[in-house]
Amino acid sequence: MGRALGILLFQAASLFWVEWPSRMAANRALWAAGLVLQSALAFTVFRKGMPRRFPAFTALILFYPVRAALLFALAARMDSGTYNSVFNALALVEIPLQALAAAELTTRLAAQFGGSTRRRVLILLAAAAAVCGLTAIALHMIAERQLTDRIQIFMSFLFIGILTLALLGALRTGSRARNLVCIAAGFAAFAVFQIAALAGKAHAMSRRDGVAYVAWSYLPACGYLAVVIFWLIFLKRESREDGTQQV
C-alpha cells in the first residue's frame, strides 16, 4: 500500500520530475500528507489497543511511515541507481508483512463461520481458488507482468476475498467484530485502486499516452490516503478483556 507513495518519491527524485516543478511540488505535498496521516494512524492503532489482537496489521501500519520517511531522507543523498535498489529492497519487505496481515485476518475470519474444521477448510479453499482464478484473468488482460505486479494483483484479490468472507461471516453470525471488517474493508478498497491503476497504466502504455500514465500512477497513493482516513475514523477501541470493540 505505502509502496505507491514510495514510487512517487522515486519519481520525484528523477530528472523527469525536476523538469516539472509543479508535479514535483504535488509529489512533496502528497508525501507530507501521507506521512502525517500514516503517523497519526500508527499512534491511533496503539492508543486503541489493537496490537494485542492484530499484531501483523500493526507491524504493517508502523512500517509504512518509517519507510516513507526513510525514502524521502535518502532521495537527495543517493544516485538514482542506489536509491532504486533501496526502494526495491523495502518493497520486498512489504510483501511478507502484507501476507502476515492477510493470514491474521483469515485466521480470525475462519473462527466466525463455526461448524467443523472440514467446513472451514472447504470455505477457505473455495475462496483461494476464486482468488487464483481472478488473478490469472487479470494477468492475462493487463500487459504489465513483472513479479511485483503479479504479487500485487494476487494480494489485491486476496484482500477483496477476505472482505467478502468478513461480510458473509458478519451477516451469518451477527458478529460485532467491527475492527475486523473495517481493516478488511480498507485493504479491499485499496486493492480496487491498485487493480484500476494497473489496468489504466497498461492501457495508457498501449496507446503511448504519457499524461494518462502519470495520472493513473497517482491513483494508488491518493487511494491509500483515503483508506488511512477511513481507518482513522472507523477503527474502535479494543477491549482488553475479550477483544470486542468499545464505542
Side-chain angles (χ1 to χ4, degrees):
M1 300 174 72
R3 176 174 179 264
L5 291 175
I7 291 174
L8 289 178
L9 287 174
F10 175 70
Q11 291 174 331
S14 66
L15 292 176
F16 176 80
W17 295 110
V18 172
E19 296 173 358
W20 295 84
S22 61
R23 291 178 180 173
M24 189 173 184
N27 284 347
R28 287 176 174 173
L30 188 60
W31 169 83
L35 184 58
V36 170
L37 288 172
Q38 290 176 95
S39 299
L41 179 60
F43 173 78
T44 299
V45 164
F46 276 93
R47 184 173 63 85
K48 296 187 174 181
M50 297 185 65
R52 186 177 64 86
R53 288 193 73 223
F54 300 99
F57 171 71
T58 301
L60 186 61
I61 292 304
L62 288 175
F63 171 74
Y64 287 139
V66 170
R67 182 177 64 174
L70 180 61
L71 288 174
F72 187 81
L74 295 177
R77 294 172 173 79
M78 291 183 173
D79 60 82
S80 60
T82 305
Y83 183 89
N84 194 26
S85 298
V86 174
F87 172 80
N88 290 333
L90 292 173
L92 291 176
V93 175
E94 179 185 10
I95 294 172
L97 289 176
Q98 283 191 344
L100 286 173
E104 181 176 78
L105 295 176
T106 303
T107 301
R108 296 196 172 280
L109 286 172
Q112 283 192 353
F113 282 90
S116 64
T117 301
R118 180 182 178 183
R119 181 174 181 275
R120 297 179 186 178
V121 171
L122 289 175
I123 291 174
L124 293 178
L125 287 176
V131 168
C132 291
L134 290 172
T135 300
I137 294 172
L139 287 173
H140 178 72
M141 297 176 64
I142 297 175
E144 295 184 75
R145 299 183 186 180
Q146 298 178 1
L147 177 60
T148 53
D149 293 328
R150 294 175 182 177
I151 295 174
Q152 184 179 0
I153 291 172
F154 174 78
M155 295 301 297
S156 294
F157 282 116
L158 177 60
F159 281 120
I160 292 173
I162 289 173
L163 174 61
T164 302
L165 290 178
L167 293 175
L168 290 174
L171 290 173
R172 180 182 180 278
T173 64
S175 172
R176 294 186 178 182
R178 177 171 175 175
N179 281 345
L180 183 62
V181 176
C182 183
I183 292 172
F187 279 127
F190 182 73
V192 172
F193 291 127
Q194 291 276 59
I195 293 171
L198 281 175
K201 289 192 296 182
H203 180 68
M205 185 177 292
S206 68
R207 301 187 61 178
R208 300 182 183 278
D209 189 340
V211 174
Y213 187 92
V214 171
W216 281 109
S217 298
Y218 276 89
L219 180 60
C222 295
Y224 179 55
L225 296 189
V227 169
V228 171
I229 294 172
F230 169 78
W231 278 333
L232 283 170
I233 294 172
F234 291 103
L235 287 176
K236 294 296 182 180
R237 182 177 297 279
E238 292 281 336
S239 169
R240 295 183 179 180
E241 287 76 21
D242 56 7
T244 58
Q245 283 81 50
Q246 296 177 351
V247 179

